Amino acid sequence: MAHSESHEPHAAEKINWLQAALALLALGLLLLLLLSKLATGETVCDITQWVFLIPLLPGLGAFLNGVFNRRLPKFVVNIIAIGSVWSSFFIGLMLFIQLKMTGEPVHAVMYHWIFSDALHLNIAFTLDQLSGVMVLVVTFVGGLIHLYSVGYMADDESYSRYFTYLNLFTFSMLVLVLGDSIPLMFVGWEGVGLCSYLLIGFWFDDPAKATAGKKAFIVNRIGDMGVMIAMFILFYATGALSFAGIQENVDKISPLLATLACLALFLGATGKSAQLPLYVWLPDAMAGPTPVSALIHAATMVTAGVYMIARLSFLFVLSPTAMLVVATIGGLTALFAATIGLFQYDIKKVLAYSTVSQLGYMFLAVGVGAFSAGVFHLMTHAFFKACLFLGSGSVIMGMHHEQDIRKMGGLAKKMPITRWTFFLSCLAIAGIFPFAGFFSKDEILWKAFTTHNTVIPGAEYVLYGLGMLAAFCTAFYMFRLYFITFSGENRADKHTQEHIKESPWTMTVPLIILAGFATIIGFVGMPHVMGPNLFEHHLEPVLGEATKVIASAAGHGAHPSAALEWGMMGVSLAVAGLGIGLAYMLYGGGKFVFKENANFFYKLLRDKYYVDEGYFYAFVRPLVNFSQFLWKFVDTYLIDGLLVHASSWTVRSVGEGLRLLHTGNVQHYLFAFLLGVVAIFVYLLQGTW
């Protein structure tokens, strides 16, 4: 298997790419024409029925590339894979614009799925204010990752298989966000779980990568059990499983059942969205190709849990206890993962723990009832984290597959586009104004501080403190990563240094686009003291009622003053600036202050609190030992030995004993016959004696 990720395209491939670009341009012009007709009201058909095409097109792309596989040239694979995702994006954009114009969600029923006396479910897709945002994020960021993959995976032997999995992943994620019921969402939920296993273990002939894929699959199955339990509870309580049906009957759910259902759903979210204690699969997901890491970590799979809680916000607000659990786990995860990221040296591992930490922020937001803030951070994170992961892939390619940042340095001059896009995304994730992360992170911290907790009074201050500490760590480890990688002198061997160069355009163009959005997209969700929060207003039809319930339950009294909000924004900026400044003092210019084995605290963070080792001794090894006991004793000794072998030995022994009676001598048979007659005669006469 070739892991090569290099890559000056050959002349023939350049010609094919020119053809591909022309074909995609023609497709884009066609869709823009339809868009212009929609804007003027001159629709050529009822586009509300096009919603099913959004997931169908990537699914069709996965089918075509999967069936024909290596028989297709790369040019055709590219057209199918990339064209299907971008087509879904343009269709989603048209429907989103119609939604903004009319305010009416787009709903399409494909066919009847499950019909019984108690349960009626359809295969139906709904594009409303919430799912519309998710569709645009998934298809836009996913489309850029598909384009980036053309350069990154150019020399891989399983090129078409890779794009098959990538399209299937996109299809599953779109089913998840568009499905109008929990079972249909769960189909997409399981689909992205399967695709994560296939993509993380894409290079499956490497045992470490195959093991990482299996780890992701198994850990996610633990969480998925919670979603299934929640479905049974909700069906028992409401008699419905569609989102609309559950919301209509939400008053039938008792507080106890609401808490149990929400906690079960959150168990599923901790698996899919990598929260404590089921986060351990996500750092190992770095075993897959870097574009896969960007797809999983940025816009798709790991955000599924946040989306699910936002979608069921009307249910979660019924249980303040469950909300506090969500917020607490989110805050603890944000800080816990951020501290691990402080002293990692694998460029992708730093970003992996950063993702776990940022997901913790999202759960902190939805846990305190700031559902729109959580979804807003989901969107901004998709842009800057995708840019960071794809930037790390560009660095890895430039360094000839080296991922240890201690062997990098001085890349700013040789890879300027990668450097600047990475730098802008670092500013965004650190929360520096006016980049996107500042607006979304500040909104979460503001809501965490000002939303009074009704279960444990004063808990909001603890949650805010967890978020601020995580923000400081985020700024520090991201700029530590930037300074070690891009500043100072290159520390690689001479041969590697001579061949470092910027990545091809198929990789740098997505980086530029993502960095641009990471810079400006935050202005759609400005704090109220700075202007209208357009994003919160957009989501109000879906999340507004739940937000009102939270505000009513908290009993706010007077709205916090504008001076307090400005002051807290200043504190957030100061904390982020302190983290960046400390990183510059310790690592600026490529220098190292901390050495390996420096102290216990350093080793504890470097070795990730030994959580994987603890899980191994507490769960993995006992289960392996128990399975070996079942194999060697129960299966081999009891079942095979006593039940199978002993029963066969008994039958065989009885048969051999009876065989002794078959001598072939007629006189013996006559004697036996006589004994039988005498025995019968004695039996019949015994009653007369």
Side-chain angles (χ1 to χ4, degrees):
M1 172 195 62
H3 294 202
S4 173
E5 304 159 10
S6 73
H7 316 222
E8 189 62 29
H10 300 298
E13 291 179 356
K14 290 182 178 178
I15 295 174
N16 285 341
W17 254 108
L18 177 60
Q19 296 171 345
L22 291 173
L24 290 174
L25 178 62
L27 177 64
L29 290 174
L30 174 62
L31 291 171
L32 286 174
L33 176 63
L34 293 174
L35 183 61
S36 65
K37 287 183 174 293
L38 172 64
T40 58
E42 302 174 8
T43 52
V44 294
C45 62
D46 183 11
I47 67 166
T48 60
Q49 298 304 311
W50 291 14
V51 66
F52 78 95
L53 291 174
I54 297 175
L56 178 64
L57 290 174
L60 183 61
F63 174 79
L64 293 174
N65 281 330
V67 168
F68 296 104
N69 207 341
R70 297 188 181 184
R71 291 186 290 273
L72 295 175
K74 287 184 179 180
F75 163 68
V76 178
V77 172
N78 295 337
I79 290 296
I80 294 173
I82 301 173
S84 63
V85 176
W86 281 108
S87 297
S88 293
F89 168 75
F90 283 114
I91 293 172
L93 181 61
M94 286 190 289
L95 292 173
F96 186 82
I97 292 174
Q98 175 175 292
L99 174 67
K100 294 296 292 182
M101 292 169 58
T102 64
E104 293 296 325
V106 179
H107 184 75
V109 177
M110 302 306 302
Y111 61 90
H112 300 315
W113 184 20
I114 302 173
F115 259 59
S116 66
D117 291 339
L119 179 64
H120 292 183
L121 280 179
N122 297 316
I123 297 291
F125 300 116
T126 299
L127 190 143
D128 59 9
Q129 286 79 3
L130 176 59
S131 60
V133 170
M134 294 297 297
V135 164
L136 293 182
V137 170
V138 170
T139 53
F140 184 76
V141 177
L144 292 175
I145 292 171
H146 276 68
L147 178 61
Y148 178 96
S149 297
V150 172
Y152 196 88
M153 301 295 291
D155 294 338
D156 197 281
E157 296 176 355
S158 300
Y159 188 83
S160 59
R161 177 168 65 90
Y162 170 82
F163 278 100
T164 298
Y165 293 165
L166 222 56
N167 270 180
L168 186 61
F169 197 112
T170 307
F171 161 78
S172 299
M173 190 64 194
L174 291 171
V175 170
L176 189 157
V177 301
L178 287 170
D180 79 333
S181 65
I182 298 181
L184 186 55
M185 180 196 73
F186 193 63
V187 171
W189 185 280
E190 291 296 285
V192 293
L194 169 65
C195 292
S196 68
Y197 162 73
L198 296 173
L199 286 166
I200 294 169
F202 180 75
W203 292 313
F204 54 83
D205 55 355
D206 184 333
K209 293 175 171 57
T211 299
K214 289 186 288 185
K215 184 177 182 180
F217 190 83
I218 293 169
V219 172
N220 273 274
R221 297 294 76 71
I222 296 171
D224 295 348
M225 176 184 65
V227 180
M228 298 183 68
I229 292 172
M231 280 195 281
F232 290 124
I233 294 173
L234 292 173
F235 182 68
Y236 169 79
T238 66
L241 284 176
S242 66
F243 296 122
I246 295 172
Q247 189 167 11
E248 289 174 2
N249 297 282
V250 74
D251 56 336
K252 298 179 181 178
I253 306 176
S254 67
L256 175 61
L257 288 181
T259 299
L260 292 176
C262 290
L263 291 177
L265 288 167
F266 183 56
L267 174 62
T270 60
K272 198 67 68 183
S273 296
Q275 298 295 285
L276 291 171
L278 299 180
Y279 74 95
V280 290
W281 69 270
L282 191 57
D284 288 359
M286 299 299 96
T290 298
V292 170
S293 303
L295 189 65
I296 291 176
H297 286 237
T300 55
M301 178 175 169
V302 296
T303 61
V306 180
Y307 167 78
M308 178 181 66
I309 293 179
R311 172 59 67 190
L312 292 167
S313 57
F314 58 85
L315 174 65
F316 275 82
V317 294
L318 299 180
S319 176
T321 301
M323 294 278 286
L324 179 60
V325 171
V326 172
T328 303
I329 295 296
L332 290 173
T333 302
L335 180 58
F336 179 82
T339 57
I340 295 177
L342 293 175
F343 301 120
Q344 299 301 308
Y345 285 108
D346 185 315
I347 186 171
K348 290 173 67 176
K349 282 289 180 71
V350 176
L351 297 177
Y353 283 105
S354 169
T355 296
V356 177
S357 180
Q358 296 304 306
L359 288 166
Y361 269 108
M362 299 175 205
F363 281 103
L364 173 61
V366 296
V368 299
F371 298 104
S372 61
V375 177
F376 184 39
H377 195 58
L378 182 158
M379 181 183 73
T380 60
H381 176 262
F383 291 108
F384 58 69
K385 185 51 64 65
C387 186
L388 289 168
F389 265 112
L390 297 184
S392 73
S394 179
V395 168
I396 292 168
M397 272 184 51
M399 293 296 300
H400 296 268
H401 323 303
E402 180 59 64
Q403 295 185 201
D404 191 334
I405 58 176
R406 289 170 293 188
K407 299 178 182 178
M408 297 179 186
L411 298 181
K413 296 179 181 179
K414 296 188 176 183
M415 306 183 73
I417 298 177
T418 300
R419 174 264 184 104
W420 281 111
T421 55
F422 202 94
F423 176 72
L424 294 175
S425 295
C426 283
L427 291 173
I429 195 173
I432 298 299
F433 181 84
F435 297 91
F438 164 79
F439 295 99
S440 58
K441 190 176 292 187
D442 179 74
E443 183 74 6
I444 292 172
L445 293 172
W446 168 252
K447 294 291 186 181
F449 185 80
T450 57
T451 304
H452 300 294
N453 194 275
T454 59
V455 179
I456 303 178
E460 60 269 19
Y461 304 120
V462 176
L463 297 174
Y464 174 76
L466 292 172
M468 288 301 293
L469 288 174
F472 170 78
C473 293
T474 300
F476 175 80
Y477 68 67
M478 285 307 306
F479 275 87
R480 167 186 176 270
L481 175 65
Y482 172 78
F483 290 133
I484 295 176
T485 303
F486 292 98
S487 64
E489 299 296 327
N490 192 272
R491 296 173 292 276
D493 59 81
K494 186 175 181 181
H495 174 75
T496 300
Q497 292 184 32
E498 292 174 351
H499 293 84
I500 297 175
K501 59 182 178 180
E502 187 60 271
S503 299
W505 72 269
T506 55
M507 298 174 63
T508 54
V509 168
L511 289 176
I512 294 170
I513 295 173
L514 289 169
F517 275 94
T519 302
I520 65 172
I521 196 67
F523 286 99
V524 303
M526 290 191 298
H528 293 287
V529 294
M530 295 177 64
N533 191 322
L534 301 177
F535 193 82
E536 183 178 349
H537 177 71
H538 169 75
L539 292 179
E540 189 173 353
V542 179
L543 304 177
E545 289 301 319
T547 303
K548 291 177 183 177
V549 171
I550 293 294
S552 175
H556 278 128
H559 185 76
S561 66
L564 177 63
E565 190 166 1
W566 280 110
M568 293 186 67
M569 279 192 280
V571 172
S572 297
L573 282 172
V575 168
L578 182 62
I580 296 173
L582 182 61
Y584 179 77
M585 289 174 56
L586 300 177
Y587 299 100
K591 62 177 179 286
F592 292 98
V593 172
F594 294 100
K595 305 297 182 182
E596 289 192 10
N597 303 318
N599 54 62
F600 172 77
F601 178 71
Y602 170 79
K603 290 189 288 185
L604 182 67
L605 298 184
R606 182 200 62 190
D607 296 332
K608 302 161 286 188
Y609 294 104
Y610 305 102
V611 172
D612 283 303
E613 292 81 358
Y615 281 4
F616 175 79
Y617 288 110
F619 301 107
V620 177
R621 192 163 73 172
L623 285 173
V624 171
N625 292 338
F626 181 64
S627 65
Q628 289 180 339
F629 165 76
L630 294 177
W631 159 44
K632 293 182 178 180
F633 180 76
V634 176
D635 189 42
T636 303
Y637 181 73
L638 294 182
I639 297 176
D640 289 348
L642 295 182
L643 296 181
V644 177
H645 295 161
S647 60
S648 64
W649 178 86
T650 301
V651 171
R652 184 180 62 187
S653 299
V654 171
E656 289 178 348
L658 293 175
R659 189 176 64 184
L660 297 176
L661 300 177
H662 294 267
T663 63
N665 192 316
V666 176
Q667 291 179 344
H668 292 169
Y669 296 158
L670 290 174
F671 179 71
F673 179 73
L674 178 61
L675 288 177
V677 171
V678 170
I680 294 172
F681 183 72
V682 170
Y683 174 77
L684 293 175
L685 292 179
Q686 64 180 348
T688 62
W689 294 348

